[in-house]
Amino acid sequence: MGQLVVLLPLFGAMLSMPVGRTFGPKASEYVTTGLMLIAAVLSWILFFDVAIGNNARTIELFTWIASGGFEANWAVRLDTMSAVMLVVVNSVSFLVHLYSMGYMKEYGEQSRFFAYLSLFTFAMLTLVTADNFLQLFFGWEGVGLASYLLIGFWFKKKSANDAAIKAFIVNRVGDFGFALGIMCIFYVFGSIEFDAVFEAVRNNAVVDPYGAVAAAPIRELQINFLDNDWHALTVIAVLLFIGAMGKSAQFLLHTWLPDAMEGPTPVSALIHAATMVTAGVFLVCRCSVIFEYAPSAAALVTIVGAVTAFFAATVGLLQDDIKRVVAYSTCSQLGYMFFAAGVGAYDAAMFHLFTHAFFKALLFLGSGAVIIAMHHEQDMKKMGGVKDILPLTHILMVIGTIGITGVGIPGFYLFGAPFGTAGFVSKDVIIEGAFAAGEVGRAFANFAFVMGLLAAVMTAFYSWRLIFLTFWGKSRAPESVRKHPHAVPDTMMAPLIPLALGAMAAGMAFYGDFVGKEKEAFWNGALYFSDAHHEETASTDHHKEDASHGAAEGDHGAAKEGGYEDSGHHVPAWVLWSPFIAMLAGSLTAAFHYLRGDPLRPGLLRPGGMIYAFLKNKWYFDELYDFILVKPALAIGRFLWIDGDGKTIDRVGPDGIAAVVAANAKRIVKLQSGYLYHYAFAMLIGIAVLVTFVLIRLGGG
């Protein structure tokens, strides 16, 4: 069953275009979507078998690469992490396939589009079921290829081509770090198999890298990198995280993500909710045992994640494109996941990844319905009153909004789970986990806690701003659009219903398994929990620091009077209520501005101001990179092309030789006059020269 779940999308990708050419585009839609439906159903069966039933296993298929001491098998790893990701990826992908049947109707080229969607899904499934780092890297690069194809799907559109190239190149920067990390892992451990590497770190095994002075326990091992001695696990963790930064669009490598909106809306939903951007979070959580014993790398993850959450939220405040608002929201939410992992709350990071897929896919697909109805208009300032045109979409988008902003009752538990929407449950777990981690000294956890709260305020503001500008108030659309809105097919609306249910209830339904009292049994070794490590190593100063990292893992159980308490950690009541208050502050501020008078009137951040321009231009990162990297690269390339290749190599080489040959040929051609007496005269001269030469030779003899 595990193999089938992974291979069904591949079969769909392979069959889509041949079936489309033979039987028409509708046939390719039905084939690919039908196979994705089967894969999604099988994924849920595997989830209850592997995660709930604790029946983890690895299915080895064949030896992929064997060269000397290096060996990599192709296998399907089915543990709780893989099972969770299978559910997320296949469920959202099926709904996106179904949605695309309506969305792509007018655009054409459905067979190619559905082939790319299925290929994207297969690459992500290969990634999440990998049993070694090389197989994971194969899926990692496959996702990058598929994203390039999908973002640039409308290849005749320059902006789409530019966005696809940008995503591909920025991800190559991160992937270079990831590739170095894999090489470093093989150098240190002599293996790239997950079980071998993680077990060595967990048991502090003695390793002897090639060329090392002496063998040493892995947690103390130093390796030479860039002419300096570094902590081996820190080097590995940082390199792996660089790869994660690119794939998950973290601060400094985030610039490709908003431009990915140039692809069709279903692509945005698939990339942002379930596949590409979650791969980095998955990688860090998969390698949780490595990050636990690399505190400096974990601190870096915390800082980058917290800054990303804050940065993306500030930029989202002033975006007018409906899809870009949701895109920056994705970037910010990924920041939450990363800083949760950075403070040791890997379970909370995976929980938010799981719940985020529901409300983010809902918001993207709902935005696509709005765009179709508004005749492909994406500027929210040119909308308004859309709830009268799309009443059901309005309700579903409001559900997605309360899901992402986090509406619930702090401290109130229903059947052992916090009462609230998916975002309320999972995001609050992260913020509370960051506070708890800061209490035990986890590096930069307090910084993440503050950034998380500030981002929560802004998330609520820009999320409700989207609702108020798009759906409420008077319509600002042209008269033709208001009177004749484009019909939204039922195949586009149907997928929104299950996503809305997930956005409302997924947090409460899965809280106990993911982050509650049953979490260790649920994760069953897929994530690293260091409670036992506390007792074993608290006797030494070196391991006390590691113990404090494990203690901050964001455990969440039953609420206690006056706050939150579990596993010996007590969270004050003000911490429990702070995310809710942050959400309320952002929501009320948005309502105060956009529901009173003209919603387009200048607000606190007015056009022309320095802060407004700074945020409107996305902190000037595109301009900065253009100045530092793009323009110098173009200048160097142009110099090498025109002066180096054209004026030097071509002029001296091919062009120069060709010019000399051509000139001499022209001179020689002049000898061929066509007159017989010219040729007779030339022959006479030749004979005279020959006779003279012979006579001279004879006379000399």
Side-chain angles (χ1 to χ4, degrees), residues 194-216:
F194 289 156
D195 289 338
V197 173
F198 299 157
E199 196 63 28
V201 179
R202 188 176 288 110
N203 297 327
N204 198 20
V206 175
V207 294
D208 187 13
Y210 176 78
V213 176

Side-chain angles (χ1 to χ4, degrees), residues 164-252:
I165 293 170
K166 185 176 183 179
F168 197 79
I169 292 175
V170 172
N171 272 275
R172 296 294 73 73
V173 176
D175 294 353
F176 180 69
F178 188 18
L180 288 178
I182 297 173
M183 296 175 195
C184 192
I185 287 171
F186 182 70
Y187 165 71
V188 170
F189 295 94
S191 174
I192 57 170
E193 300 291 329
F194 289 156
D195 289 338
V197 173
F198 299 157
E199 196 63 28
V201 179
R202 188 176 288 110
N203 297 327
N204 198 20
V206 175
V207 294
D208 187 13
Y210 176 78
V213 176
I218 182 59
R219 297 179 199 166
E220 286 79 38
L221 180 69
Q222 301 282 317
I223 60 173
N224 189 272
F225 182 70
L226 300 177
D227 288 331
N228 284 291
D229 289 332
W230 304 85
H231 183 224
L233 290 180
T234 299
V235 173
I236 291 171
V238 169
L239 290 173
L240 293 178
F241 178 58
I242 291 173
M245 285 177 64
K247 199 64 70 182
S248 293
Q250 290 300 280
F251 189 69
L252 300 180

